[in-house]
């Protein structure tokens, strides 16, 4: 098999599942280390806006942030909440996702992973605290130089307006959090256990966080996103 | 400080590690006072340690998996000793509290400062139990086992220091068999089995720790485990063979005695049974040891590969997640919000099916939305995209009301009717009427129904499969039926409605409406359509 064939074969495997494990694809995994195959894949990475993240046991296909061909769009996120969901719901979904990652990987140690599991009730408490802090600070506005964005205060209000823990509809806090977790579970980033009362990270999330997502070299890309520098290629 | 002067402080950290482990239980964080109040002073401490011992017993002596159910079962068994009696649900809650909140510290990593007089104060991670997620037919099952620290703590609180005890146990066993004290020897042999299983668990856990996160693994620990444990095991392996030989010899002697005497007295029969048990335990132990020795190289290999792979990782620096992502999400400008999917994009699976799959060809076609001007400082609910969605939602709701009104009227009429008859019925329902009159929606919807010609409810019921949400705001009868059926599952008993224009009859109506300050009126004329209705 030529290097191009091997490279494309690896790419196809990666497209199928988003990852390729050493355990099931021993030969291809070894081929990946050949410089010729790597250079074929590097061209594909360049042309199709993705990168391959390599860990000791698994290869992952990671779409570039703005890649809506291989990745997701706001519309997808919004539709995950509900067919009639608004952008504000997608914003909240994104914030809760990032907050979950922060609670797991926000440690200051060399290993940033600071917890093994997270109870849904604890997550809701922490979100309450965070949103309340934002709303409180808004009341005493002008105290800090850089305050919260108006839109963030709107999602904080949206959060606070949701009912407490009992009901599981998406109009409650529990329902909203569970909906977010289910999306992350569908993407193989979280496991929901103990009758959906607890979440745990998957090996994929650990791998991607520690080997790629949290890497200092991504700061510029993140800056670009928040400063509007990275233009969306196709949002809809 | 010169250690020469303070030799008594050598290895002090080992003492403190025990203190740290006990501290994690006695000075537990995450206290839930509702649960704590159910117990008297010290009762819960006793119970937590008992649970730890239970986990050890279950995983080592019985070689069974320890689940939350088995822990709850154990707690229920020991409750009476404390003079307590709780219902099953409370016991489950107590078990959950002991395992998750206390022994696992609510999932959060717990550290304790331990002084090493050579290296200085170090933060030692405390973790007494470990859990494992297993996929079963009914979802995920969590099993629990002790960590090295957990075993260490339990052994130090009762058994002598682990490695010495292993050798002592063997010596004791050999001596006991020599002296034909089989009853005690049974106990000793099962202790041996427990210990070898513990070592096996150590190795498994160590491999998992390497795979999970190489940073949690200390090179010293690795060398200690690979070097000393395996050498020890190999020695023990030969020693165990010796013991087995001795057992065989004892059995032979018993046999000889049986042949010489013709039969065995009760005491000798008991001895024979006991020897059989010992032999079984010893065989188990030897088999388990064999497995461990065979796995020796795989542990070294896994460790070395992982450490090589993670070398570059250790050089990488992580950014501050809270500062770079959370804080910026909280302060981001409005125009960035539609771009936030980019934060999650790299973590999600490739979404190729959705983009390139054949379904996209059949997706509902909706007109491209024009970019709307957004005023500065608009709050998010008023974003153009949201307004568009809200408009579609409103239209869908009006259409639902219209179709529902037609079905209601059909039921009321118990037969066919004309649009001219339906209209006054709509007018009676003020709220529905005012909505339908907005932008002449009623007439647009009516023309759409005429274009369709037939609403075959029976067929819809039979073919009803996945519901596609209406993305365009145009009248979509199937979507309306789906919504109506939620509240009125029998759809007013109607099976089919045919909409025709049998003649040239015209329905005319004078419509009055208000625009800003003034009232206006206009006359509207539309064919007087016929609704032919079939019922079940």
């Amino acid at each position: 098999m030529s290097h191009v064939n091997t490279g494309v074969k690896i790419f196809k495997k990666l497209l199928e599942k988003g990852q390729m494990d050493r355990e099931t694809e021993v030969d291809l995994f070894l081929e990946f280390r050949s410089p010729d195959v790597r250079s074929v894949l590097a061209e594909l990475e360049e042309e199709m806006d993705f990168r391959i993240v390599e860990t000791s046991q698994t290869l992952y296909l990671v779409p570039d942030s703005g890649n809506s061909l291989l990745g997701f769009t706001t519309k997808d996120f919004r539709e995950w909440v509900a067919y009639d969901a608004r952008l504000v719901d997608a914003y909240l979904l994104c914030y809760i996702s990032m907050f979950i990652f922060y609670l797991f990987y926000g440690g200051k140690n060399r290993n940033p992973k600071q917890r093994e599991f997270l109870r849904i009730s604890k997550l809701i408490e922490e979100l309450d605290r965070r949103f309340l802090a934002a709303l409180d600070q808004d009341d005493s506005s002008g105290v800090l130089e850089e305050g919260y964005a108006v839109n963030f205060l709107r999602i904080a209000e949206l959060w606070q307006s949701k009912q407490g823990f009992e009901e599981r509809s998406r109009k409650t806090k529990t329902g909203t959090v569970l909906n977010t977790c289910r999306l992350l579970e569908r993407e193989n980033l979280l496991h929901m256990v103990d009758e959906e009362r607890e979440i745990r990270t998957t090996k994929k999330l650990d791998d991607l966080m520690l080997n790629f997502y949290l890497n200092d070299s991504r700061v510029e890309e993140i800056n670009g996103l928040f400063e509007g520098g990275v233009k969306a290629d196709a949002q809809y | 400080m010169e250690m020469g002067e303070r030799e008594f402080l050598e290895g002090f950290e080992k003492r403190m590690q025990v203190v740290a482990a006990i501290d994690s239980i006695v000075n537990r964080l995450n206290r839930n006072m509702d649960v704590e109040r159910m117990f008297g002073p010290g009762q819960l401490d006793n119970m937590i340690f008992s649970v730890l011992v239970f986990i050890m017993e279950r995983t080592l002596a019985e070689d069974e998996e320890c689940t939350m159910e088995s822990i709850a079962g154990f707690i229920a068994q020991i409750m009476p000793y404390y003079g307590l009696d709780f219902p099953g649900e409370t016991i489950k809650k107590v078990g959950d509290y002991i395992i998750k909140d206390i022994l696992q510290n609510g999932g959060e990593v717990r550290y304790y400062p331990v002084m090493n007089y050579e290296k200085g104060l170090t933060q030692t991670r405390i973790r007494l139990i470990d859990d494992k997620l297993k996929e079963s037919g009914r979802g995920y099952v969590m099993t629990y086992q002790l960590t090295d620290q957990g075993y260490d703590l339990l052994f130090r609180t009762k058994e002598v220091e682990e490695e010495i005890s292993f050798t002592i146990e063997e010596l004791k066993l050999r001596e006991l068999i020599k002296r034909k004290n089989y009853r005690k020897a049974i106990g000793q042999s099962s202790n041996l089995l427990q210990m070898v299983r513990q070592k096996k668990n150590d190795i498994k856990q160590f491999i998992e720790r390497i795979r999970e996160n190489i940073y949690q693994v200390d090179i010293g620990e690795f060398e200690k485990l690979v070097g000393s444990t395996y050498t020890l095991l190999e020695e023990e392996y030969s020693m165990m063979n010796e013991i087995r030989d001795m057992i065989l010899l004892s059995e032979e002697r018993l046999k000889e005695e049986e042949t010489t005497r013709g039969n065995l007295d009760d005491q000798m029969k008991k001895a024979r049974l006991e020897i059989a048990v010992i032999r079984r335990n010893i065989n188990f132990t030897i088999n388990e040891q064999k497995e461990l020795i065979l796995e020796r190289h795989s542990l070294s290999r896994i460790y070395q590969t992982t450490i090589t792979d993670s070398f570059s990782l250790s050089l990488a620096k992580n950014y501050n997640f809270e500062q770079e992502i959370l804080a910026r999400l909280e302060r981001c400008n409005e125009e960035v919000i539609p771009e936030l999917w980019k934060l999650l994009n790299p973590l999600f699976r490739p979404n190729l099916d959705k983009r390139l799959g054949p379904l996209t060809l059949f997706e509902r076609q909706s007109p491209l939305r024009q970019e709307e001007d957004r005023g500065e400082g608009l709050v998010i609910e008023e974003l153009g995209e949201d307004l568009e969605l809200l408009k579609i939602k409103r239209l869908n709701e009006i259409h639902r009301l219209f179709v529902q009104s037609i079905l209601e009227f059909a039921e009321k009429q118990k037969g066919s009717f004309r649009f001219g008859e339906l209209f006054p019925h709509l007018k009676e329902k003020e709220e529905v009427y005012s909505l339908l009159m907005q932008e002449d929606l009623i007439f647009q919807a009516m023309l759409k129904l005429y274009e369709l010609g037939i609403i075959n409810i029976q067929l819809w019921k039979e073919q009803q499969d996945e519901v596609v949400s209406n993305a365009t705001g145009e009248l979509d009868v199937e979507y309306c039926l789906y919504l109506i059926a939620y509240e009125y599952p029998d759809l007013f008993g109607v099976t089919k409605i045919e909409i025709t224009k049998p003649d040239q009859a015209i329905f005319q109506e004078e419509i009055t409406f208000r625009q800003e300050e003034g009232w206006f009126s206009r006359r509207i004329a539309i064919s007087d359509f016929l609704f032919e209705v079939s019922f079940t």
Side-chain angles (χ1 to χ4, degrees):
Chain A
M1 199 158 32
S2 76
H3 302 308
V4 176
N5 284 349
T6 313
V8 171
K9 207 167 175 185
I10 294 175
F11 177 60
K12 269 171 71 184
K13 290 268 173 205
L14 287 171
L15 268 187
E16 271 169 37
K17 288 186 181 167
Q19 66 185 69
M20 193 178 88
D21 298 313
R22 179 194 282 234
E23 236 172 62
T24 49
E25 301 289 346
V26 186
D27 296 341
L28 281 181
F29 206 94
L30 287 176
E31 294 277 10
F32 174 75
R33 301 221 160 137
S34 129
D36 296 324
V37 173
R38 279 310 310 255
S39 75
V40 172
L41 284 164
E43 277 183 44
L44 282 169
E45 284 177 294
E46 177 78 28
E47 290 302 318
M48 294 197 68
D49 296 334
F50 71 94
R51 79 179 74 190
I52 296 174
V53 172
E54 184 187 359
T55 69
S56 60
Q57 298 298 318
T58 313
L59 300 179
Y60 296 95
L61 186 152
V62 174
D64 287 352
S65 298
N67 187 336
S68 59
L69 175 67
L70 296 178
F72 265 66
T73 65
T74 305
K75 189 166 165 276
D76 298 326
F77 287 130
R78 214 165 44 186
E79 283 177 0
W80 178 260
V81 183
Y83 79 92
D84 61 347
R86 297 165 301 161
L87 193 56
V88 66
D89 296 306
Y91 183 13
L92 183 59
L93 175 90
C94 181
Y95 185 77
I96 295 175
S97 306
M98 288 298 147
F99 194 69
I100 291 172
F101 298 155
Y102 164 65
L103 290 181
F104 275 108
Y105 303 99
K108 306 279 187 294
N109 296 315
R110 192 166 54 147
N111 175 14
K113 190 167 178 188
Q114 57 184 354
R115 62 187 322 134
E116 286 167 41
F117 61 85
L118 177 61
R119 285 187 169 165
I120 297 292
S121 54
K122 174 88 177 167
L123 172 59
I124 292 173
E125 270 173 39
E126 295 286 340
L127 278 166
D128 271 340
R129 199 170 302 153
R130 191 96 187 176
F131 282 129
L132 266 178
L135 292 172
D136 284 352
Q137 194 182 309
D138 183 45
D139 287 343
S140 52
S141 55
V143 178
L144 284 186
E145 274 180 32
E146 207 185 348
Y148 292 98
V150 179
N151 292 322
F152 180 71
L153 295 172
R154 292 293 84 78
I155 68 162
E157 280 165 9
L158 175 69
W159 172 260
Q160 293 302 345
S161 73
K162 289 179 191 278
Q163 293 146 28
F165 300 84
E166 304 307 323
E167 296 293 320
R168 290 202 158 193
S169 112
R170 75 180 164 94
K171 293 193 172 143
T172 65
K173 289 177 180 175
T174 312
T176 308
V177 163
L178 285 177
N179 196 38
T180 310
C181 293
R182 282 190 201 113
L183 173 65
L184 299 177
E185 185 180 45
R186 196 188 70 167
E187 293 302 321
N188 191 24
L189 300 172
L190 292 181
H191 290 303
M192 292 174 82
V193 293
D194 199 10
E195 292 164 357
E196 297 199 330
R197 280 182 299 197
E198 183 182 306
I199 50 174
R200 284 163 184 262
T201 59
T202 57
K203 185 175 172 296
K204 175 187 170 186
L205 186 59
D206 284 347
D207 277 351
L208 288 183
M209 279 289 169
L210 301 174
N211 290 279
F212 158 71
Y213 201 85
L214 297 174
N215 202 304
D216 211 22
S217 61
R218 290 193 66 242
V219 170
E220 207 176 309
E221 186 188 334
I222 296 167
N223 284 344
L225 198 154
F226 281 109
E227 282 152 21
V230 184
K231 282 279 162 242
D233 298 315
Q235 290 172 38
Y236 305 105
Chain B
M1 176 172 41
E2 282 293 319
M3 277 313 282
E5 299 165 24
R6 301 271 187 275
E7 270 178 13
F8 60 92
L9 289 175
E10 206 179 287
F12 174 77
E13 65 281 2
K14 286 198 167 183
R15 298 181 197 279
M16 285 311 291
Q17 275 161 9
V18 181
V19 174
I22 293 173
D23 170 79
S24 72
I25 294 173
V26 178
N27 295 324
R28 48 190 171 270
L29 303 172
N30 305 313
R31 275 179 202 259
N32 175 343
M33 291 320 285
D34 289 344
V35 180
E36 296 270 346
R37 264 187 231 113
M38 297 193 288
F39 297 91
Q43 280 188 332
L44 200 53
D45 296 344
N46 276 284
M47 212 168 265
I48 298 166
F49 271 94
S50 309
V51 168
L52 278 176
V53 178
F54 170 74
I55 298 174
M56 176 170 82
E57 179 68 14
R58 181 99 177 159
T59 48
L60 293 185
E62 298 168 23
D63 204 18
E64 289 275 336
E65 280 181 333
C66 190
T67 60
M68 201 51 109
E69 279 70 37
S70 55
I71 292 167
F74 168 71
I75 294 173
Q77 280 172 21
I78 60 170
M79 280 286 176
Y81 292 93
Y82 295 84
L84 297 169
D85 182 19
F86 296 144
E89 201 48 43
T90 313
I91 287 176
K92 202 169 167 281
K93 198 172 156 192
V94 171
D96 207 56
Y97 177 60
I98 291 178
I99 296 293
K100 306 232 163 168
D101 293 300
I102 300 171
L103 294 174
Q104 295 191 297
N105 196 33
E108 257 173 283
V109 178
R110 184 180 171 123
Y111 291 97
Y112 190 92
V114 165
M115 176 54 81
N116 178 323
Y117 283 98
E118 282 172 2
K119 295 179 186 164
L121 204 63
T122 51
Q123 293 293 330
T124 301
R125 186 172 171 186
I126 306 302
R127 188 160 69 150
L128 299 180
I129 61 170
D130 206 359
D131 56 24
K132 217 171 157 187
L133 206 57
K134 279 192 169 180
E135 227 173 329
S136 80
R138 290 177 296 138
Y140 293 111
V141 176
M142 194 79 70
T143 60
Y144 299 92
Q145 56 188 13
L146 297 188
T147 59
D148 291 359
Q149 266 177 346
Y151 282 119
D152 205 43
L153 174 67
L154 288 191
F155 280 126
R156 280 168 199 258
T157 51
K158 185 171 172 240
E159 286 83 1
V160 278
E161 214 280 325
E162 160 197 8
E163 291 202 6
I164 302 167
S165 82
F166 206 159
T167 333
I168 289 177
E169 289 294 341
E170 278 175 309
L171 290 173
K172 265 162 64 188
L173 179 61
R174 198 151 54 170
E175 292 308 304
L176 286 169
I177 293 173
K178 269 187 198 163
R179 290 175 178 75
K180 292 203 173 69
N181 191 346
Y182 300 122
R183 199 173 54 82
K184 271 198 171 175
I186 289 181
Q188 300 295 336
S189 65
S190 56
N191 278 356
L192 265 185
L193 185 58
Q194 279 194 25
M195 287 182 184
V196 80
R197 279 185 182 154
Q198 183 215 326
K199 284 200 184 296
K200 206 174 151 188
N201 271 346
D202 285 352
I203 306 286
K204 274 191 199 158
Q205 283 183 15
F206 198 77
I207 291 179
E208 268 169 34
R209 274 171 60 202
I210 291 172
R211 285 193 165 146
E212 271 171 20
N213 193 347
I214 192 84
Y215 290 141
Q216 284 172 10
V217 180
D218 187 88
I219 182 82
E221 278 180 79
F222 171 74
E223 279 168 357
K224 191 178 151 209
L225 198 62
V226 172
S228 71
T229 311
Y230 282 118
T231 320
L232 193 74
L233 272 176
E234 274 182 271
E235 283 169 12
E236 281 160 1
Y237 182 51
S238 60
M239 212 188 277
M240 297 292 272
N241 277 328
E242 256 178 59
I243 295 170
R244 192 168 58 172
D245 292 345
M246 252 190 287
I247 295 274
L248 286 174
L249 202 67
S250 298
E251 277 181 327
E252 267 173 38
R253 277 187 198 148
L254 276 172
K255 243 182 210 168
E256 274 171 29
E257 219 159 315
E258 196 179 7
T259 334
T260 329
R261 288 191 184 183
N263 65 345
L264 287 177
D265 59 24
D266 286 351
Q267 218 182 337
M268 296 297 267
K269 276 183 191 162
K270 204 175 151 214
R272 192 168 60 181
L273 272 177
E274 285 168 348
I275 287 175
V277 176
I278 298 171
R279 193 159 70 149
R280 203 191 58 203
N281 282 345
I282 298 290
N283 282 341
F284 276 148
T285 314
I286 291 175
N287 284 340
E288 301 242 6
Q289 286 185 347
K290 258 192 223 164
E291 274 179 36
L292 281 188
I293 292 164
L294 288 173
E295 280 174 13
R296 168 170 52 182
H297 296 293
S298 78
L299 173 62
S300 312
R301 188 178 47 78
I302 290 166
Y303 183 76
Q304 274 160 14
T305 325
T306 319
I307 202 121
T308 319
D309 288 351
S310 67
F311 181 68
S312 57
L313 202 61
S314 66
L315 299 174
K317 231 179 115 204
N318 293 331
Y319 58 83
N320 181 330
F321 197 91
E322 186 176 20
Q323 185 188 309
E324 298 296 339
I325 292 195
L326 272 196
R328 303 182 79 164
L329 266 176
E330 289 161 2
R331 288 163 177 79
C332 71
N333 293 328
E334 188 187 317
E335 61 269 21
V336 176
I337 294 168
E339 313 259 312
L340 291 179
W341 55 278
K342 292 176 179 173
L343 280 174
L344 282 159
N345 217 21
L347 297 171
F348 280 16
R349 285 189 180 121
N351 199 21
L352 210 60
D353 284 354
K354 189 154 186 177
R355 301 277 160 263
L356 302 179
L359 274 177
T360 43
L361 298 176
F362 300 104
E363 267 181 9
R364 189 181 301 280
Q365 302 298 309
S366 56
L368 286 175
R369 188 178 57 77
Q370 283 180 338
E371 199 62 37
E372 289 177 26
D373 290 334
R374 296 174 194 160
E376 241 175 69
L378 280 179
V379 291
I380 197 158
E381 282 93 338
E382 292 166 7
L383 280 178
E385 281 173 62
D386 288 345
L387 283 179
E388 184 75 15
L389 276 167
L390 288 174
K391 187 179 160 201
I392 290 170
K393 206 178 155 190
R394 185 176 61 87
L395 287 174
N396 285 338
E397 176 60 12
I398 297 173
H399 290 143
R400 178 188 73 83
L401 287 169
F402 181 49
V403 176
Q404 187 174 317
S405 301
I406 295 173
L407 295 175
E408 270 173 1
F409 190 65
E411 190 195 30
K412 198 174 156 195
Q413 291 291 104
K414 297 189 172 57
S416 305
F417 54 89
R418 289 272 189 154
F419 180 75
E421 294 169 273
L422 171 70
F423 197 83
H425 169 73
L426 294 172
K427 232 174 168 178
E428 278 170 25
K429 300 164 83 175
E430 251 174 66
E431 258 179 57
V432 180
Y433 179 74
S434 67
L435 287 170
L436 280 168
M437 295 320 288
Q438 288 172 15
E439 300 161 41
D440 295 340
L441 275 175
I442 185 171
F443 303 109
Q444 289 171 27
M446 202 47 240
L447 289 172
K448 174 86 185 172
L449 285 181
Y450 174 62
E451 198 182 305
L452 284 173
I454 192 161
I455 306 175
N456 196 335
I457 297 176
Q458 190 63 38
L459 191 70
W460 173 79
K461 276 184 179 166
E462 284 160 14
Q463 294 180 342
Q464 192 183 4
D465 41 32
E466 231 175 89
V467 177
V468 186
S469 66
N470 183 3
T472 63
E474 262 191 53
L475 175 64
D476 178 342
V477 176
E478 290 188 357
Y479 184 62
C480 291
L481 289 176
Y482 168 75
L483 294 177
I484 298 165
Y486 201 73
E487 218 176 318
Y488 303 96
D490 75 330
L491 293 161
F492 302 92
V494 178
T495 54
K496 196 167 80 174
I497 299 180
E498 277 184 78
I499 301 115
T500 53
K501 197 169 73 173
D503 46 40
Q504 295 305 312
I506 300 283
F507 169 76
Q508 292 189 55
E509 176 77 8
E510 178 90 20
I511 296 171
T512 322
F513 59 98
R514 193 187 171 107
Q515 200 165 348
E516 291 174 0
E517 292 303 301
W519 284 92
F520 298 82
S521 87
R522 65 186 160 128
R523 176 162 291 276
I524 280 187
I526 187 170
S527 300
D528 197 10
F529 296 107
L530 173 68
F531 292 78
E532 284 179 273
V533 189
S534 314
F535 292 92
T536 38

